[in-house]
């Protein structure tokens, strides 16, 4: 449907204004560099959009650190590059203040907290692994296996170059299903840091069960967590507060990230 395609494009066009600042203790020039401002797509990953940030700041750190891997931090939290940018924001930023203030580092890479990402090839491998995992849940891996190498490349290049039509011309194959059955299982990850020590929760949930279309509320009930224990909560994706009665099949088709997973954040109002 045309209106559904418009929803896909609106999600794709989601942007966040970010103010990048070099860590004070790493400035080696007499005058600290100006902050670097960037509008970044919510759907992508930081290593795909921060080349300009690196070039802006690297000249202001000591030469022996010029080749170090750059990493980012927000309020003492190292930012996981393998999480989509929009997910990181929805997880960590509670006051919604913009632009998002992020600190840039070239020193003391936190190996115990972040995976290494020496090149964009690593991001591509991560994306393809996630797509295959999602396809295993949705279609028993049939679609990714049938797709040609050029389709896989089209998915990657569409995301890398921020090209909606290029990405979705391949990704629509991964969203196909029979109207009666929907996806076999819904690929999702549920982030509830206030309720569990796990980075995220993931379990098997069908889109249709006993001819009933399951909703977001059904998905939450199967988590066996007391979501109301800390007061009123929202389920957020792409900055959107999702109604609990929304069908899971619709959410999966229209609100999944490019890795084909729903990254759902439980958020509570600040006290």
């Amino acid at each position: 449907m045309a209106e559904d395609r418009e929803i896909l494009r609106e999600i794709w066009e989601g942007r966040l204004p970010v103010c990048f600042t070099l860590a004070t203790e790493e400035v080696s020039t007499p005058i600290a560099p100006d902050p670097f401002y960037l509008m970044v797509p919510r759907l992508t990953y930081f290593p795909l959009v921060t080349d300009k940030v690196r070039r802006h700041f690297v000249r202001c750190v000591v030469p022996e650190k010029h080749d170090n891997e750059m990493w980012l931090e927000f309020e003492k939290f190292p930012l996981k590059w393998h999480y989509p940018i929009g997910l990181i924001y929805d997880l960590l930023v509670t006051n919604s203040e913009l632009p998002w203030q992020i600190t840039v580092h070239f020193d003391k890479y936190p190996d115990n907290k972040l995976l290494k990402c020496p090149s964009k090839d690593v991001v591509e491998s991560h994306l393809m692994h996630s797509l295959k995992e999602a396809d295993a849940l949705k279609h028993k891996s049939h679609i990714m296996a049938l797709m040609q190498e050029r389709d896989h490349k089209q998915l990657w290049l569409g995301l890398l170059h921020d090209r909606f039509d290029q990405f979705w011309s391949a990704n629509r194959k991964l969203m196909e299903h029979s109207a009666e059955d929907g996806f076999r299982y819904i690929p999702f990850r549920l982030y509830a840091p206030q309720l569990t020590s796990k980075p995220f929760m993931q379990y098997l949930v069908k889109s249709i069960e006993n001819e009933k279309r399951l909703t977001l509320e059904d998905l939450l009930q199967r988590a066996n967590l007391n979501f109301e224990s800390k007061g009123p909560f929202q389920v957020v994706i792409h900055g959107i507060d999702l109604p609990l009665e929304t069908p899971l099949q619709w959410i999966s088709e229209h609100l999944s990230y490019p890795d084909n997973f729903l990254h759902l954040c439980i958020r509570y109002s600040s006290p």
Side-chain angles (χ1 to χ4, degrees):
M1 291 174 63
E3 61 180 4
D4 289 344
R5 186 172 176 81
E6 288 168 17
I7 291 168
L8 297 177
R9 189 176 283 278
E10 284 289 323
I11 295 298
W12 184 274
E13 296 293 340
R15 298 288 188 271
L16 286 167
V18 181
C19 173
F20 296 93
T21 306
L22 182 61
T24 306
E25 67 276 14
E26 295 185 34
V27 176
S28 67
T29 50
I31 300 174
D34 291 334
F36 192 88
Y37 291 86
L38 206 57
M39 289 291 284
V40 298
R42 271 181 157 270
L43 292 181
T44 195
Y45 301 89
F46 273 121
L48 305 188
V49 294
T50 51
D51 286 350
K52 291 179 181 177
V53 177
R54 180 184 182 86
R55 286 197 296 270
H56 179 75
F57 290 121
V58 74
R59 58 192 172 81
C60 297
V61 300
V62 293
E64 55 266 28
K65 293 176 185 171
H66 283 189
D67 293 330
N68 285 7
E69 187 171 332
M70 187 178 81
W71 60 280
L72 306 174
E73 176 187 72
F74 171 71
E75 293 185 350
K76 306 301 181 187
F77 286 97
L79 303 186
K80 296 179 179 180
W81 65 262
H82 64 289
Y83 279 17
I85 293 173
L87 166 62
I88 301 172
Y89 182 84
D90 290 341
L91 265 176
L92 297 181
V93 184
T94 53
N95 59 11
S96 301
E97 186 177 324
L98 294 172
W100 186 9
Q101 304 287 332
I102 288 179
T103 304
V104 175
H105 293 273
F106 290 86
D107 193 20
K108 299 176 181 175
Y109 194 93
D111 301 85
N112 58 333
K113 294 179 180 177
L114 296 183
L115 300 173
K116 284 281 193 179
C117 184
S119 73
K120 291 175 183 175
D121 292 344
V122 178
V123 185
E124 181 180 7
S125 296
H126 169 71
L127 177 69
M128 289 302 139
H129 177 81
S130 296
L131 285 167
K132 288 173 183 175
E133 185 180 348
D135 189 44
L137 290 166
K138 289 195 287 190
H139 308 111
K140 295 186 178 178
S141 302
H142 291 165
I143 308 299
M144 284 293 282
L146 289 172
M147 291 172 85
Q148 297 182 10
E149 182 62 30
R150 68 166 183 262
D151 295 313
H152 294 180
K153 220 57 182 172
Q154 201 164 328
L155 288 162
W156 165 242
L157 294 175
L159 179 64
L160 177 63
H161 300 302
D162 192 23
R163 293 174 182 156
F164 172 83
D165 292 323
Q166 183 178 19
F167 179 84
W168 269 99
S169 64
N171 195 55
R172 62 183 172 78
K173 300 173 186 176
L174 295 167
M175 293 297 173
E176 291 172 355
H177 62 90
S178 70
E180 301 78 34
D181 300 328
F183 295 147
R184 180 166 155 261
Y185 295 108
I186 298 294
F188 77 93
R189 288 177 182 152
L190 180 65
Y191 302 79
Q194 300 92 338
L195 301 175
T196 174
S197 58
K198 298 176 182 177
F200 55 81
M201 299 184 69
Q202 193 174 353
Y203 41 93
L204 295 178
V205 177
K206 295 178 179 291
S207 61
I208 299 171
E209 206 168 67
N210 300 323
E211 299 184 5
K212 174 185 182 284
R213 290 188 174 275
L214 299 190
T215 65
L216 182 59
E217 188 168 21
D218 294 315
L219 182 148
L220 295 183
Q221 286 174 350
R222 295 169 192 215
N224 294 320
L225 292 176
N226 184 3
F227 291 103
E228 291 85 2
S229 63
K230 295 187 179 293
F233 68 94
Q234 300 171 313
V235 185
V236 175
I237 187 169
H238 309 301
I240 302 164
D241 175 13
L242 284 178
L244 296 184
E245 65 272 16
T246 313
L248 286 176
Q249 181 66 39
W250 188 93
I251 299 173
S252 189
E253 287 179 52
H254 297 93
L255 301 183
S256 290
Y257 275 84
D259 63 3
N260 276 227
F261 274 84
L262 292 170
H263 294 283
L264 303 164
C265 300
I266 301 298
R267 291 189 58 162
Y268 294 90
S269 303
S270 299

